[in-house]
Structure formats: C-alpha cells, structure tokens
Amino acid sequence: MPAKLKLTARFLLIAATLVCVVGMVGPFKGVEKNFVPADKAAHFIAFYGLTVLMMMAFPKSRRLEITLAAIGLGAAVEVAQFFTHRGFSFSDLSADVVGAFAVWVPMWLQSVRSPPVVERRRRASDRAVEPAPERSRTA
C-alpha cells in the first residue's frame, strides 16, 4: 500500500474516531437521526467504517486484532456513556460488534478459501523444480 494512502487513511481514522466519540458521548444525543433514521444502523455504519479505516491505516496488523480493537472502542464508548448519564446499551454495543465483524468475516472467509501468498509461492516453486524421474541403471 502506498505510504500516501496509508497516511490519508490514518488522518481519516483520527477524524472519524473523534466524530464518532464526540457524537456518541457528547451532548449531541440523537444527532445521528439526522443522517440515519435508526440508532442501531448508525452504530453499525460507524463501526463498519472505523474498522475499514483501521485496516487501511494499519495494513500489516492482524485483521482480527484490528476488529477486536474496534469492538474495544465501542465498549469504551458505551462505558463512557454510562458515566455521562446517557446509559450503557447492550444493543448499541451489539450493533458495534456486528459492524466490525461485517468487515472481518468476508476477509476471513477469503483467507480460508485460498492459501496464503507464501504457500502459493512455495507450491509454484515446487512445481517448477520437480525432480527428474530416476532412470534405471543397467550395464
């Protein structure tokens, strides 16, 4: 991935994270209804987008760890909402989890479906250097 794209993804990740955290914890309760009619859909979209940006910003990190980090952020936001008297909601956290895993699951299925690049290269090199069949020596 080009360095410029990675840097752009990191900048967008910081901006999106700030917008999400301020929107979910700040005094703007219900502002997401101006964009998305359902609160759970807003959580799903937010954490789907954050997970995609995290994977683009850190392409060499493990995808499952990135997904779990996004879920951790969702849990932290819900705990922060509890302390700001907005209330902890398991259904909001569930929407966050589903949004994050909606990014990871197709990638995981693809990795299960096809062997990793290193394995494909090894198999290709093994085929290229097949040993010649042994000839019987009769004198």
Side-chain angles (χ1 to χ4, degrees):
M1 175 179 285
K4 188 173 184 179
L5 181 61
K6 193 180 346 178
L7 185 63
T8 303
R10 287 180 181 179
F11 173 75
L12 289 173
L13 174 62
I14 291 168
T17 302
L18 288 174
V19 167
C20 288
V21 168
V22 169
M24 292 178 192
V25 178
F28 309 108
K29 187 173 185 175
V31 73
E32 71 276 355
K33 292 185 181 180
N34 294 329
F35 305 104
V36 180
D39 178 51
K40 304 314 172 242
H43 278 266
F44 175 88
I45 292 167
F47 280 86
Y48 184 92
L50 286 174
T51 305
V52 168
L53 284 173
M54 289 171 80
M55 288 187 184
M56 289 178 66
F58 304 102
K60 293 184 180 181
S61 297
R62 293 182 181 188
R63 295 179 198 142
L64 181 58
E65 291 174 358
I66 289 173
T67 303
L68 294 176
I71 292 168
L73 175 64
V77 165
E78 290 303 319
V79 168
Q81 283 182 348
F82 176 76
F83 288 113
T84 59
H85 305 292
R86 289 184 61 181
F88 184 95
S89 171
F90 281 108
S91 58
D92 285 350
L93 182 58
S94 298
D96 301 344
V97 169
V98 171
F101 274 111
V103 177
W104 179 77
V105 167
M107 293 179 173
W108 176 74
L109 288 173
Q110 180 62 30
S111 71
V112 169
R113 185 174 163 264
S114 63
V117 174
V118 174
E119 180 67 17
R120 288 193 307 258
R121 287 182 185 154
R122 186 190 62 76
R123 288 180 187 171
S125 67
D126 287 350
R127 283 189 300 249
V129 187
E130 290 182 13
E134 289 190 32
R135 297 181 183 164
S136 63
R137 294 183 180 181
T138 56

